[in-house]
């Protein structure tokens, strides 16, 4: 005999709520990563990220204008109206965009301006004589301490933010850029190539025998191989060329050359330098390299990836251009 449990209304509603929540999580999980991140960010976060990526030079004009407008508004309205919150917002924006020194300088000027325009008294009486000199000096000192604390806090947050942004673009094992930074920097290289009337040289490197090194000697040995390749790749290119570890045992580079012949020579030199570094190590691993030239970075990388597999199929440790 089967017993049927009777569910209460509260249990049914709770079950429906949890089921809807699971469905929402599944739908959200299948959204593209950019849309997921955008949905999780507030307007303030998006503004801070955009301002951090942009140059400080365009922000100078509109921040100076905002300071002038705020000071004029404070002077026109007189001491009966307080604009302290707006001053703090502008101080935070100034510190975020231009750094701690600019924030401290503008903070000192803001305190001097507010004391000159509104006096040392409280904001309701608007009479300087209503507050004793000692209390007025104490109020001004407390205002200065608060402003300095906020400026130092925003400055420390900006430095931490910049450091985390930089770390998010670096492969922690090899010190090269990761896939995300590689895609971003390749776009810059593409624009530079068009400006200088040069072409792009893109290459993809895949290690041969890397899995055997991992299996026989452990992951520490595999990490050492990856670091050797990264150092050799960095030494084979110019400081402003783009290099990255795309993931696993796959590396890539992107640089500009004069013509296809120069690209062929450069790809051969990079392959020779990386191979020499690997042969000088104690690990039995080599690399295959596929390289291609072109004016479009995505097309060049697709061709380089395809010919890299042709190099591996031809016997490994080869270069196909």
């Amino acid at each position: 005999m089967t017993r049927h449990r009777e569910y209460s209304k509260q249990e049914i509603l709770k079950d429906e709520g949890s089921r809807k929540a699971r469905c929402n999580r599944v739908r959200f999980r299948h959204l593209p990563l950019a849309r997921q991140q955008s949905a999780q960010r507030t307007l303030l976060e998006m503004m801070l990220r955009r301002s951090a990526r942009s140059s400080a030079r365009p922000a100078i004009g509109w921040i100076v204008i905002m300071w002038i407008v705020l000071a004029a508004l404070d002077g026109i309205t007189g001491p009966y109206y307080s604009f302290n919150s707006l001053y703090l917002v502008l101080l935070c924006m100034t510190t975020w965009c231009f750094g701690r020194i600019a924030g401290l300088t503008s903070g000192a000027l803001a305190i001097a301006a507010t004391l000159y325009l509104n006096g040392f008294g409280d904001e309701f009486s608007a009479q300087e004589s209503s507050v004793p000199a000692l209390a007025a000096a104490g109020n001004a000192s407390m205002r200065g301490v608060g402003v300095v604390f906020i400026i130092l806090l925003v400055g420390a947050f900006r430095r931490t933010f910049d450091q985390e942004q930089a770390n998010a673009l670096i492969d922690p094992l090899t010190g090269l850029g990761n896939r995300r930074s590689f895609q971003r920097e390749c776009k810059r290289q593409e624009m530079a190539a068009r400006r200088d009337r040069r072409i792009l040289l893109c290459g993809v490197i895949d290690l041969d025998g890397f899995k055997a090194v991992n299996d026989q000697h452990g992951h520490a040995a595999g990490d050492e191989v990856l670091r050797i390749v990264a150092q050799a790749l960095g030494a084979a290119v110019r400081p402003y060329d783009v290099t990255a570890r795309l993931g696993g045992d796959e590396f890539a580079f992107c640089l500009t050359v004069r013509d296809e012949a120069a690209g062929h020579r450069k790809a051969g030199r990079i392959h020779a330098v990386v191979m020499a570094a690997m042969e000088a190590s104690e690990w039995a691993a080599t690399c295959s390299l596929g390289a291609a030239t072109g004016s479009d970075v995505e097309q060049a990388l697709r061709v380089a990836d395809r010919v890299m597999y042709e190099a591996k199929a031809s016997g490994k440790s080869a270069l196909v251009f």
Side-chain angles (χ1 to χ4, degrees), residues 64-74:
V64 169
I65 292 173
M66 291 175 69
W67 274 113
I68 295 174
V69 170
L70 181 58
L73 188 62
D74 196 9

Side-chain angles (χ1 to χ4, degrees), residues 210-291:
F210 179 73
K211 186 177 183 301
V213 172
N214 264 336
D215 294 341
Q216 296 174 12
H217 305 283
H219 291 288
D223 292 346
E224 180 64 24
V225 171
L226 295 176
R227 283 190 286 265
I228 291 173
V229 174
Q231 292 173 2
L233 179 59
V237 299
R238 296 162 295 192
Y240 51 85
D241 293 332
V242 183
T243 57
R245 178 191 174 202
L246 301 182
D249 60 345
E250 191 173 57
F251 296 81
F253 60 86
C254 178
L255 49 94
T256 60
V257 292
R258 290 191 306 274
D259 49 35
E260 188 172 343
H264 196 176
R265 291 192 299 271
K266 186 65 176 179
R269 181 177 181 276
I270 292 173
H271 184 250
V273 170
V274 176
M275 283 290 295
M278 299 183 73
E279 290 172 355
S281 69
E282 56 181 308
W283 317 112
T286 58
C287 71
S288 298
L289 189 154

Side-chain angles (χ1 to χ4, degrees), residues 37-58:
Q37 294 175 342
S38 178
Q40 293 173 340
R41 293 174 185 168
T42 63
L43 178 61
L44 178 60
E45 288 177 312
M46 290 188 289
M47 290 175 59
L48 292 177
R49 289 178 181 274
R50 179 169 296 183
S51 63
R53 288 195 298 265
S54 61
S55 174
R57 185 174 300 175

